Structures are given as structure tokens and as C-alpha cells.
């Protein structure tokens, strides 16, 4: 076995297949550790994937309950979507973004027409590659439309990406700390996280309470955001995730956004909805905001629109914000925006979603999965709360008092699941989990939307084993 960098990489064009140990030497020497891979001390290598599973070199199946942060909503190697990618690869895989291709136009029309039916406003779609880039584009749209206003509202626990502009509206200071002063940093508003909210309030009462606290900012000019004489706010928009993603899949009360939107409308503040993680049927609807009875001024999407294949993201915005007069050619650009591989797969995704009642199936599976999680909550004191909407589900890991956050146990559960030594019947499995939450103690479940009931039963059995091990350690 090669033991150093020089031996691991000899420079031959036709080198033999390297062992994992050799690859780790190369990774340690040549890969940036600035991404999220090295949250784990010894990141796992995977060799193959299919459906709800990823496989290591030994062929051990790992049931994936986070599906690439909800990017692979329709299962690994989805036959229909992969076929669309292959067809496009053989016909028009590349074309400069200054030209048109059929898939871009048809996809934009499908998304915009769907939004018009649901939200009651004509709009247009602007494409990009990653979620953070689409958030950046939306910030340009908002600033441009509001006469250059650069201040935004966003939620505590909210996550919108790690580019500079997106970091400014993401509540975690750790994403900004090393990069200087952020003069345009958002003002962060309390989100109705009921499990950790004031005691004695129902979920709906707490939602109303949070709205009233926000509305207080506009009571007087001395609260710092509103000029009552001019009737103008210093803030341009409120960026929201209808269900918080990295914040721990926190689901607000159903009255919350209706009440919040009235405050925004009364003060001329735009509502921008981030659907990058919850969009494309994660919650049983194309966009999670559809559950809450309000219409956005702009909506950002990405991730699962291509099922994790060639990246594509985008912004839908109302016509008055994005028409060519106000947002002319060249207002924003990416070389790979609206790339034909991405738009082709996304178009196939949208067509697939129109052919079946995905919503009903996902809500039924989600209810079944949530019931299983509730049974685990009854059996294990360290499960403080479970909740879910569709197949966006959460389990909060706590001390034995079922309330105090327990990050150490959460980290241990993730590492233990990656060992691949959980046994159900005669077969060994691993379990892929994702960590979220304000205290990094929440399992955020984003399983394959095509998951079977048998796979949900397997997930509950594997989780039961992990929780039992955690109690005995």
C-alpha cells in the first residue's frame, strides 16, 4: 500500500484503480477542506447508488434518509430522469447562454404558468446553476425594484446559502465571521419554533405572538425600520423558508404566514420565498408555501428540480419586478445558467409531476412515516419532538429529560449509522442521516419521495436500533 503523496500519485496517465487508503492520502493533500465533507473526521466513500440506497465498496446498502439534502427527491438513478439526461447528451448537451434552446423556454413557461394559476400573478423565470446563485439573483431583482434598498428581513434559524450575499441573510454568524463586516446583514426575526417557544401558548397563539412582535417594529419611527411621515420602510424584502431547512425542518403554524404577509403588504415590503430545499414536492406540493395561503412576490428554487443531476436553479418573480423594461438583458449572468442538460431534466421532472397525483401519495407516506417516528418517541426518552409535513420530517434528540438539546448524542447517532453494521433480518445496513437544528441536535429526514412502505418500516427499525444503542452507550 502506498503511504505518502508521492507514492499515491505517480503521475501515470493510465494508473491502476486506487484503494480508499490511497485516495485518502491524495484527498488530504490536494482537496480543500473548506466544504462540508470534513464535518466528519473520516468521511465515507461511496461507490454506487440506486433508489433509496447508496453502497460502499463492500456492497453494503446504506438507506439514505436525507437524499443529498433533498436534492434527489425522486430516487437515485431515476430511470425516467436519467433517460432525459441521456437524450439531451446525445442531441444538444451544450450551447452558450446567449442563445435559446427549446427546453429553457418550455420549462420557464411551465413554472410561470403554474405560479400564475396558484398565486394569481403573471411572472417570469430567470435561471442559474446553484441555490446560492439564484438567491443572489433574487437580491439583485429586489434591490433593483425597490430603488436600491439593500436591507432585508430574514428569520432566526434561516439558511439561504454561503455566497456573500446569501450569507448576509442567513442567520448563522459562523458563515460570515471570517469575511469582514457585512453592512447589509439582515435583521433576523423570531420564527415560531413551538417546541422551544414560550410555554403555555398553543402553536397558533405563538405564531400570532411572533407576528405581533414583528409588527411592533412599525409602530413608531423610533423602532428603527419605518418612517411614518413618508410611509416608507428602510427594508426591501423579507426572505423566508416556509419550513426551515438547515434550521431543523421547523414547521410553523398555519396562521403564521397569512398574518405576516398582511404586515408586509401594509408596509410595502416584498415577500421572497426560498424553496430550494422544500420545493419540488418535499412537502406534498410543488412549493411548500402553497400550504400556507399566501402568494410570494418572488420564489427561489433549485436542488430537486433536476433530481440532483446537472445543476439548475432559478427565480420566479412577478412581472413588475422582472419584465425586460425594469430588468434588461445583462442584469445578471452565469455562463452555465439555463444549461440544456439541466433544463432538459427539469422539464422532464415537471412533466412527470403533472402525470400523477404525487401530492396525495407523499402526504400518505409522510403520515405513515411520522406515525412510526411517534412510536419511537414513546419508546425512547431521548426523542424530544417529532413533526413533519409530507416527507419533510424531524426528530429532535435531547437528554433524558426529553427537552435539553443533546448535540453529542446526535453526532454519535450519525457516525454510528455510517458504520454499516445495523442488522435487520439476515442483512446488514447502514443509515445516512443529516444533522440540523438551532442546536445541531435534530435529525432532518428527507427520504426518497418514491420510498416504499417497506423501506419506511426498515427506516424505523434501523432508527430504533440506533436509539437503543445510544441509550446503552
Amino acid at each position: 500500500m502506498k503511504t505518502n503523496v508521492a507514492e499515491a500519485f505517480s503521475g501515470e496517465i493510465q494508473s491502476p484503480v486506487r484503494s480508499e487508503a490511497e485516495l485518502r492520502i491524495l484527498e488530504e493533500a490536494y482537496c480543500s477542506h473548506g466544504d462540508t465533507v470534513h464535518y466528519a473526521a473520516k468521511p465515507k466513500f461511496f461507490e454506487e447508488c440506486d433508489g433509496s440506497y447508496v453502497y460502499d465498496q463492500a456492497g453494503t446498502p446504506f438507506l439514505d434518509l436525507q437524499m443529498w439534502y433533498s436534492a434527489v427527491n425522486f430516487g437515485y438513478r431515476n430511470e425516467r430522469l436519467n433517460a432525459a439526461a441521456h437524450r439531451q447528451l446525445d442531441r444538444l448537451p451544450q450551447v452558450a447562454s446567449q442563445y435559446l434552446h427549446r427546453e429553457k423556454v418550455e420549462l420557464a413557461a411551465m413554472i410561470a404558468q403554474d405560479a400564475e394559476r396558484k398565486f394569481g400573478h403573471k411572472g417570469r423565470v430567470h435561471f442559474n446553476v446553484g441555490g446560492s446563485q439564484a438567491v443572489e439573483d433574487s437580491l439583485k431583482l429586489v434591490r433593483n425594484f425597490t430603488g436600491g434598498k439593500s436591507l432585508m428581513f430574514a428569520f432566526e434559524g434561516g439558511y439561504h446559502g454561503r455566497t456573500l450575499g446569501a450569507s448576509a441573510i442567513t442567520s448563522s454568524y459562523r458563515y460570515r465571521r471570517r469575511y469582514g463586516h457585512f453592512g447589509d446583514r439582515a435583521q433576523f426575526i423570531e420564527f415560531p419554533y413551538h417546541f422551544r417557544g414560550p410555554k403555555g401558548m398553543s402553536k397558533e397563539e405563538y405564531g400570532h405572538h411572533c407576528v405581533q412582535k414583528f409588527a411592533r417594529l412599525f409602530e413608531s419611527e423610533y423602532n428603527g425600520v419605518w418612517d411614518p411621515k413618508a410611509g416608507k420602510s428602510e427594508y426591501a424584502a423579507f426572505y423566508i423558508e416556509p419550513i426551515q431547512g438547515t434550521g431543523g425542518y421547523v414547521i410553523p403554524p398555519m396562521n403564521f404566514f397569512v398574518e405576516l404577509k398582511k404586515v408586509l403588504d401594509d408596509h410595502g415590503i416584498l415577500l421572497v420565498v426560498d424553496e430550494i430545499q422544500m420545493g419540488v414536492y418535499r412537502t406534498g406540493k410543488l412549493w411548500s408555501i402553497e400550504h400556507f395561503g399566501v402568494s410570494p412576490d418572488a420564489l427561489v428554487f433549485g436542488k430537486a428540480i433536476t433530481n440532483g443531476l446537472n445543476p439548475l436553479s432559478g427565480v420566479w418573480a412577478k412581472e413588475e419586478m422582472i419584465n425586460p423594461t425594469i430588468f434588461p438583458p445583462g442584469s445578471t449572468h452565469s455562463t452555465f445558467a439555463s444549461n440544456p442538460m439541466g433544463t432538459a431534466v427539469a422539464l422532464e421532472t415537471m412533466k412527470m409531476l403533472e402525470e400523477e397525483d404525487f401530492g396525495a401519495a407523499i402526504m400518505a407516506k409522510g403520515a405513515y412515516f411520522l406515525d412510526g417516528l411517534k412510536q419511537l418517541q414513546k419508546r425512547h426518552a431521548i426523542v424530544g419532538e417529532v413533526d413533519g409535513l409530507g416527507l419533510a420530517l424531524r426528530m429532535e434528540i435531547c437528554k433524558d429529560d426529553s427537552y435539553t438539546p443533546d448535540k453529542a448524542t446526535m453526532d454519535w447517532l450519525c457516525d454510528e449509522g455510517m458504520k454499516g453494521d445495523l442488522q435487520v433480518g439476515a442483512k446488514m445496513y447502514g443509515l445516512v442521516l443529516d444533522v440540523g437544528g438551532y442546536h445541531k441536535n435534530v435529525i432532518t429526514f428527507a427520504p426518497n419521495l418514491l420510498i416504499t412502505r417497506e423501506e419506511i418500516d426498515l427506516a424505523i427499525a434501523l432508527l430504533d436500533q440506533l436509539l437503543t444503542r445510544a441509550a446503552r452507550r
Side-chain angles (χ1 to χ4, degrees):
M1 180 182 296
K2 298 176 178 67
T3 58
N4 59 49
V5 174
E7 290 177 322
F9 180 63
S10 58
E12 314 98 332
I13 294 175
Q14 295 295 331
S15 59
V17 176
R18 295 184 175 89
S19 68
E20 283 192 8
E22 291 169 331
L23 290 170
R24 287 190 188 280
I25 293 169
L26 295 173
E27 196 269 346
E28 178 65 26
Y30 298 118
C31 290
S32 164
H33 288 195
D35 55 21
T36 59
V37 171
H38 285 274
Y39 283 169
K42 192 175 180 181
K44 183 77 177 177
F45 273 97
F46 285 111
E47 293 286 331
E48 296 182 23
C49 60
D50 188 64
S52 295
Y53 299 91
V54 285
Y55 297 85
D56 64 11
Q57 194 172 46
T60 304
F62 285 69
L63 180 61
D64 194 339
L65 296 183
Q66 60 105 346
M67 298 304 286
W68 201 0
Y69 324 119
S70 193
V72 191
N73 280 10
F74 306 101
Y76 291 112
R77 293 169 59 194
N78 180 286
E79 185 174 343
R80 176 168 176 174
L81 300 180
N82 281 17
H86 283 292
R87 288 195 303 272
Q88 194 68 24
L89 185 64
D90 290 336
R91 189 179 65 80
L92 183 71
Q94 300 117 330
V95 68
S97 54
Q98 72 195 76
Y99 306 114
L100 287 172
H101 58 281
R102 176 186 302 276
E103 293 77 18
K104 171 189 175 176
V105 176
E106 291 186 351
L107 176 62
M110 285 190 77
I111 293 171
Q113 289 168 1
D114 177 82
E116 187 169 357
R117 287 191 297 270
K118 291 171 177 174
F119 305 139
H121 300 283
K122 182 188 182 302
R124 297 171 187 257
V125 175
H126 183 97
F127 292 111
N128 210 311
V129 182
S132 294
Q133 289 77 17
V135 168
E136 296 282 343
D137 287 344
S138 74
L139 286 165
K140 278 190 168 183
L141 279 163
V142 166
R143 286 187 177 206
N144 182 60
F145 182 68
T146 59
K149 287 184 183 180
S150 60
L151 295 180
M152 311 293 161
F153 291 112
F155 280 123
E156 295 173 1
Y159 179 87
H160 301 285
R162 300 189 202 185
T163 53
L164 287 174
S167 295
I169 58 172
T170 291
S171 65
S172 298
Y173 170 53
R174 72 185 180 94
Y175 299 135
R176 293 186 296 277
R177 182 177 57 82
R178 298 187 308 278
Y179 306 112
H181 178 64
F182 282 68
D184 295 329
R185 199 210 77 168
Q187 180 162 337
F188 297 107
I189 304 301
E190 182 178 356
F191 191 84
Y193 180 7
H194 186 246
F195 180 62
R196 300 204 173 276
K199 301 307 174 188
M201 287 186 184
S202 70
K203 196 169 185 177
E204 289 70 25
E205 288 170 339
Y206 183 33
H208 178 71
H209 172 72
C210 288
V211 173
Q212 292 307 111
K213 284 177 67 176
F214 175 61
R216 181 181 175 276
L217 294 176
F218 303 92
E219 286 181 353
S220 162
E221 66 180 276
Y222 297 103
N223 291 357
V225 305
W226 177 248
D227 179 351
K229 291 182 179 179
K232 298 288 185 181
S233 172
E234 190 174 10
Y235 286 73
F238 201 136
Y239 274 75
I240 72 165
E241 296 167 283
I243 295 172
Q244 295 199 317
T246 300
Y249 284 24
V250 181
I251 300 167
M254 289 296 171
N255 63 314
F256 177 65
F257 285 119
V258 170
E259 294 186 22
L260 180 70
K261 184 66 161 60
K262 185 178 187 308
V263 177
L264 299 180
D265 289 346
D266 287 347
H267 298 93
I269 298 168
L270 301 172
L271 178 66
V272 182
V273 174
D274 183 337
E275 292 280 358
I276 293 165
Q277 187 162 166
M278 289 296 153
V280 198
Y281 276 91
R282 172 54 52 199
T283 66
K285 293 184 182 292
L286 181 62
W287 311 123
S288 62
I289 194 64
E290 295 176 49
H291 291 281
F292 298 100
V294 298
S295 297
D297 296 293
L299 182 148
V300 184
F301 60 89
K303 286 189 185 292
I305 196 77
T306 64
N307 201 44
L309 295 173
N310 218 70
L312 188 79
S313 64
V315 186
W316 170 87
K318 288 181 178 178
E319 178 74 5
E320 57 264 35
M321 294 178 65
I322 199 173
N323 72 74
T325 301
I326 192 169
F327 205 66
S331 294
T332 187
H333 172 73
S334 170
T335 298
F336 298 101
S338 66
N339 66 86
M341 292 296 294
T343 53
V345 177
L347 183 60
E348 192 68 21
T349 299
M350 293 293 290
K351 290 177 179 177
M352 181 178 73
L353 294 172
E354 286 191 341
E355 293 171 4
E356 300 178 36
D357 191 351
F358 270 88
I362 289 163
M363 296 305 287
K365 290 177 186 178
Y368 184 73
F369 205 140
L370 182 58
D371 182 68
L373 296 179
K374 288 179 178 178
Q375 297 307 312
L376 293 178
Q377 183 182 21
K378 292 177 182 177
R379 295 199 294 271
H380 299 279
I382 66 171
V383 179
E385 189 203 36
V386 298
D387 200 1
L389 182 61
L391 280 168
L393 304 149
R394 74 188 310 266
M395 173 183 281
E396 188 142 346
I397 303 301
C398 302
K399 301 288 189 181
D400 286 339
D401 63 3
S402 301
Y403 184 77
T404 304
D406 191 348
K407 179 182 183 301
T409 296
M410 179 69 251
D411 291 341
W412 183 89
L413 289 167
C414 288
D415 292 342
E416 192 74 6
M418 297 305 287
K419 288 181 177 179
D421 65 349
L422 299 166
Q423 185 169 353
V424 173
K427 197 165 185 177
M428 305 300 289
Y429 294 91
L431 191 61
V432 179
L433 303 174
D434 200 29
V435 180
Y438 291 34
H439 306 283
K440 300 302 177 191
N441 70 313
V442 178
I443 304 174
T444 52
F445 297 103
N448 175 9
L449 298 183
L450 304 180
I451 193 170
T452 65
R453 288 210 169 198
E454 291 75 20
E455 288 172 334
I456 294 173
D457 291 340
L458 174 62
I460 298 300
L462 296 174
L463 286 165
D464 196 18
Q465 284 189 43
L466 278 183
L467 295 167
T468 299
R469 288 186 188 183
R472 293 173 179 169
R473 71 187 177 103

